[in-house]
Amino acid sequence: MASQVAAPTSLPTTSSSTSLSSPALSPSSPPLLSPDDVELLAKLEEQNRLLETDSKSLRSMNGSRRNSGSSLVSSSSASSNLSHLEEDTWILWGRIVNEWEDVRKKKEKQLKDLVRKGIPHHFRAIVWQLLCNAQNMPIKDQYSDLLKMTSPCEKLIRRDIARTYPEHEFFKEKDSLGQEVLFNVMKAYSLVDREVGYCQGSAFIVGLLLMQMPEEEAFCVFVKLMQDYRLRELFKPSMAELGLCMYQFECMIQEHLPELHVHFQAQSFHTSMYASSWFLTIFLTCFPLSVATRIFDIFMCEGLEIVFRVGLAILQMNQAELIQLDMEGMLQHFQRVIPRQMDSGPDKVIQAAYQVKYNAKKMKKLEKEYTTIKTKEMEEQVEIKRLRTENRLLKQRIDTLEKESASLADRLIQGQVTRAQEAEENYLVKRELATIKQQSEEAGAQLEQAKKTIWQLQQQQPQAKAASRCSEEAVLQLERELVQARLKEAESQCALKEMQDKILDMEKRNTSLPDDTNVARLQEELIGVKLREAEALTGLKELRQQVRDLEDHWQRHLARTSGRWRESPKKNTLSELQDELMTVRLREAEAQAELRENRQRMLELETQNQIHNNQLRRAEQEGRSLQERVQTLTTQNKDLHGQLQEIKRRQAEIECKSKEEVMAVRLREADNIAAMAELQQQISELEIQKEEGKVQGQLNHSDSNQYIRDLKDQIAELKHEPADTGELAQA
């Protein structure tokens, strides 16, 4: 076989037959050939001259040249190695090729029988092209232009070229003519059909075509196979057609070989593990080339049906051995034992294949079932995807709610901490205010004591002369006490300033927490404070005016008494006492002024204390509002958690309901299918009864018409019932 296909070429469509069809037929030779047969044989001679490696063809050519006066196919040709059967086969196929259109239309069954017996090697190229209508295709003219283009699949094709028929002479050597033309055809098709591009199994089919014909014709035949023989759907990236073939083949195994099917199921031995290469390469990678070529002949004529038949025949022939093996053993059996069984030839397996019952209608029904199953799976996948999306969105919402809850909890804790800090600062401010009040009370007591002392001095004025030293000591004591009072006053002012600074800081902190309900009251308090402050300033101005008047009076007094220092000591003593009295009065006025200033400051401190108390009340109210808000948010969070649990429960219920509905729909579909099968069986029985009644003539002419009308009515009613059942199933 390898020697015959090492230099593939196609049969020429026209040839000069003068050298063979001249008066070459002697009168003594039997009239077996017509002029058309002679022309066909001339074409075959031209083909044989091109096939130099075919020794049988060369001997046939030499014999025909030596015996030019006798018939080329005469049984009396001693130099020819062809038998009578081979000669008849050549003649028959020559007539078929010449009269192809008539034979294809009128004698299709006889043509199928001849193809099943095998197409002669020299006729394969032209017959394959005729079987798939690949002659004179417009795409053949584009082939040379396609080879000049660049395909994205070139690297993949180059990688797999060496793996295609690695032991065949035509493809064995690297960068040989066979590998180059195989690359060209695969590249050209990948450019024509960019959706499919390149698939690894297709190279074996193209290689077989190149063994029989040139690359242009092989390219056209391959394009026809992909378009009209379901191969394009098999080689698509999704391989949906391959899944359909696996489903149909598995159903055939279940029907014809139930024990083997149960064994495969028990061993988890899926159909695709051994049968996918059968459909993708038409047994070219599994069987010897001679056997696979015979099967490919039938495939060119009948399509994928032969693959189902041969596959089931192989399983029938090996059922006993396969049932006793495990998964690994079955794989080894398919890879090694079954190919060796084919060494004896293809006739046995082809004969067994056509004993297999193949129902085209049932295959169509299985195709519809597979399409329905895949559609349901797609719908379920879409529903699952939708539920997963909803679940993801719910999880995101849960995460968002948890984050918001954590943020609210942090804000609540921060508010509580801030309130605690403000309460501590308010406590410190109150304690400092109490200290300042105590200091003010002490200063007031000291001023009262000074007043009493001044009054006592005024009462003791008549005795001032005798007690001048005592008065001086008392005045000094008053001065010291006044100095101490001023020092304490300065300390209280410093403390007051510090308290004012702290109060300002607290007011700045509390500016972000306004209370609209207390604004009017605070404004009224502020107006009252400003009025008191204005009154205090007015009183202070009056005191200062009195002090200035006293100072003026004191200066005038000093001017009047400046000339009295030279008088008698008694007068000088009296004047000194008067001066001291004036000084004490001045000091008393200053002490009163300071006392009023201290009172004014006390009022300011009380006002500030009241403001602080109002701010504390506002802070407490805001704290309570924050607590209420936190409680509200906590309640909302609990409600959201409850809603989430309810959603999860509803989702689970929906999933259960959807599963129950799917199961119910499937059960209804099974019932409807069974009902439709029963109705169809009844229809067929009634039709059979009708035919039997016609053939046997059991009814007379008058009754038969009535009986036939009744049967037709029953058939119409039964046909309506499946339609109604189908509509109910769809609803």
Side-chain angles (χ1 to χ4, degrees), residues 589-653:
E590 290 176 356
Q592 288 179 356
E594 290 175 356
L595 181 60
R596 289 192 177 184
E597 288 178 359
N598 288 330
R599 287 178 179 175
Q600 179 64 28
R601 289 170 184 166
M602 286 296 297
L603 290 173
E604 291 176 357
L605 289 173
E606 289 177 356
T607 304
Q608 291 175 358
N609 188 16
Q610 189 174 4
I611 291 170
H612 287 312
N613 290 331
N614 293 332
Q615 290 176 353
L616 287 173
R617 283 195 299 273
R618 288 198 302 274
E620 289 177 356
Q621 291 177 357
E622 290 172 358
R624 285 193 295 271
S625 64
L626 284 174
Q627 286 181 353
E628 292 175 356
R629 187 178 178 186
V630 168
Q631 290 177 357
T632 305
L633 291 173
T634 304
T635 306
Q636 292 178 357
N637 192 11
K638 290 181 180 179
D639 294 338
L640 289 174
H641 278 294
Q643 293 176 4
L644 179 61
Q645 295 295 328
E646 183 66 20
I647 290 170
K648 288 182 178 179
R649 185 181 64 78
R650 290 178 181 176
Q651 183 179 357
E653 291 179 355

Side-chain angles (χ1 to χ4, degrees), residues 219-397:
F219 172 69
C220 295
V221 172
F222 184 64
V223 171
K224 273 292 184 180
L225 290 177
M226 295 293 283
Q227 291 176 353
D228 301 338
Y229 286 74
R230 296 172 62 184
L231 292 185
R232 185 176 185 274
E233 301 298 325
L234 283 173
F235 289 122
K236 275 187 177 180
S238 62
M239 289 190 172
E241 191 72 15
L242 181 61
L244 172 60
C245 292
M246 295 297 102
Y247 178 76
Q248 291 173 332
F249 190 63
E250 186 174 358
C251 291
M252 290 181 68
I253 297 171
Q254 186 176 5
E255 180 182 358
H256 295 91
L257 303 171
E259 295 181 0
L260 186 60
H261 179 264
V262 171
H263 179 66
F264 282 169
Q265 294 291 327
Q267 295 294 327
S268 298
F269 193 60
H270 301 291
T271 309
S272 59
M273 297 174 68
Y274 61 90
S276 58
S277 61
W278 295 354
F279 289 89
L280 290 174
T281 63
I282 320 299
F283 298 102
L284 290 171
T285 58
C286 308
F287 292 171
L289 193 57
S290 59
V291 179
T293 306
R294 282 284 303 278
I295 296 173
F296 202 83
D297 289 341
I298 304 172
F299 169 73
M300 294 291 292
C301 183
E302 301 180 17
L304 281 176
E305 176 183 340
I306 187 61
V307 182
F308 288 99
R309 288 181 175 275
V310 172
L312 200 62
I314 291 169
L315 294 179
Q316 286 178 346
M317 294 166 61
N318 295 271
Q319 180 178 5
E321 293 84 356
L322 290 172
I323 289 178
Q324 298 176 0
L325 299 174
D326 57 0
M327 180 190 291
E328 186 176 355
M330 287 188 289
L331 285 173
Q332 295 292 330
H333 191 84
F334 277 104
Q335 293 173 0
R336 298 179 181 179
V337 178
I338 292 178
R340 286 201 298 268
Q341 293 176 356
M342 301 297 136
D343 292 339
S344 59
D347 295 332
K348 182 179 179 181
V349 69
I350 292 175
Q351 184 178 1
Y354 281 98
Q355 293 176 359
V356 173
K357 294 181 180 179
Y358 181 87
N359 191 343
K361 293 183 178 179
K362 187 169 184 180
M363 298 298 282
K364 288 288 184 182
K365 182 179 178 182
L366 291 174
E367 182 178 355
K368 292 181 180 179
E369 290 180 1
Y370 181 78
T371 304
T372 305
I373 291 170
K374 285 298 177 182
T375 304
K376 290 181 180 179
E377 289 180 356
M378 290 296 294
E379 292 175 354
E380 290 176 356
Q381 289 178 0
V382 170
E383 184 66 18
I384 290 171
K385 187 176 181 181
R386 185 184 65 79
L387 292 174
R388 286 178 178 173
T389 303
E390 291 180 357
N391 193 11
R392 187 180 71 254
L393 293 175
L394 289 173
K395 287 182 179 179
Q396 291 177 357
R397 187 177 178 186

Side-chain angles (χ1 to χ4, degrees), residues 144 186 248 261 325-326 388 405 503 604 676 712 724:
S144 58
M186 298 307 302
Q248 291 173 332
H261 179 264
L325 299 174
D326 57 0
R388 286 178 178 173
S405 178
I503 290 168
E604 291 176 357
M676 290 174 68
K712 286 182 179 180
D724 297 337

Side-chain angles (χ1 to χ4, degrees), residues 10-14 40 43 96-101 104 122-141 213-214 216-225 227-229 300:
S10 63
L11 289 174
T13 57
T14 61
L40 174 62
K43 295 179 182 179
I96 290 172
V97 170
N98 283 335
E99 302 172 0
W100 179 258
E101 295 298 331
R104 188 69 181 268
H122 301 292
F123 285 93
R124 271 206 179 97
I126 186 67
V127 172
W128 282 3
Q129 294 179 48
L130 292 171
L131 283 171
C132 64
N133 296 322
Q135 289 182 324
N136 301 323
M137 289 180 65
I139 199 171
K140 185 177 181 180
D141 300 331
M213 62 192 75
E216 291 87 353
E217 284 80 1
F219 172 69
C220 295
V221 172
F222 184 64
V223 171
K224 273 292 184 180
L225 290 177
Q227 291 176 353
D228 301 338
Y229 286 74
M300 294 291 292

Side-chain angles (χ1 to χ4, degrees), residues 404-570:
E404 291 179 356
S405 178
S407 176
L408 291 174
D410 293 338
R411 288 175 60 186
L412 175 61
I413 294 171
Q414 189 66 30
Q416 291 177 351
V417 172
T418 305
R419 284 185 57 205
Q421 292 177 354
E422 290 176 352
E424 185 177 359
E425 291 177 357
N426 290 331
Y427 173 73
L428 294 175
V429 168
K430 287 180 179 179
R431 191 171 65 182
E432 290 178 358
L433 283 173
T435 304
I436 291 169
K437 284 182 180 180
Q438 186 177 0
Q439 291 177 357
S440 297
E441 290 175 357
E442 291 177 356
Q446 290 176 359
L447 286 174
E448 291 294 332
Q449 186 68 27
K451 285 182 181 180
K452 289 180 181 179
T453 305
I454 291 169
W455 182 75
Q456 290 176 1
L457 288 173
Q458 288 177 355
Q459 294 295 328
Q460 294 175 0
Q461 188 176 4
Q463 294 87 14
K465 294 178 181 179
S468 58
R469 292 183 179 178
C470 294
S471 62
E472 289 177 358
E473 292 178 357
V475 170
L476 291 173
Q477 182 66 27
L478 289 172
E479 288 177 354
R480 286 194 295 271
E481 290 178 356
L482 184 60
V483 169
Q484 291 178 358
R486 286 181 176 177
L487 289 173
K488 290 181 179 180
E489 184 181 358
E491 291 177 357
S492 64
Q493 287 180 355
C494 290
L496 184 61
K497 286 182 180 179
E498 291 177 358
M499 291 301 299
Q500 288 176 351
D501 293 337
K502 290 182 180 180
I503 290 168
L504 289 173
D505 292 335
M506 291 181 65
E507 288 178 352
K508 288 179 180 179
R509 292 178 185 175
N510 292 329
T511 50
S512 60
L513 301 172
D515 191 359
D516 297 335
T517 58
N518 295 327
V519 171
R521 184 167 53 82
L522 289 174
Q523 288 178 352
E524 293 176 358
E525 292 178 357
L526 182 60
I527 291 169
V529 169
K530 287 183 178 180
L531 290 174
R532 289 196 296 272
E533 183 179 0
E535 292 176 357
L537 290 174
T538 304
L540 183 60
K541 286 180 181 179
E542 291 177 356
L543 285 174
R544 286 177 180 174
Q545 185 63 34
Q546 290 178 4
V547 170
R548 282 196 295 271
D549 293 340
L550 288 172
E551 286 179 352
D552 293 339
H553 184 68
W554 172 252
Q555 293 295 333
R556 287 195 299 270
H557 175 71
L558 289 177
R560 285 195 305 268
T561 58
S562 61
R564 298 178 183 177
W565 292 102
R566 296 180 180 179
E567 293 179 359
S568 60
K570 292 182 179 180

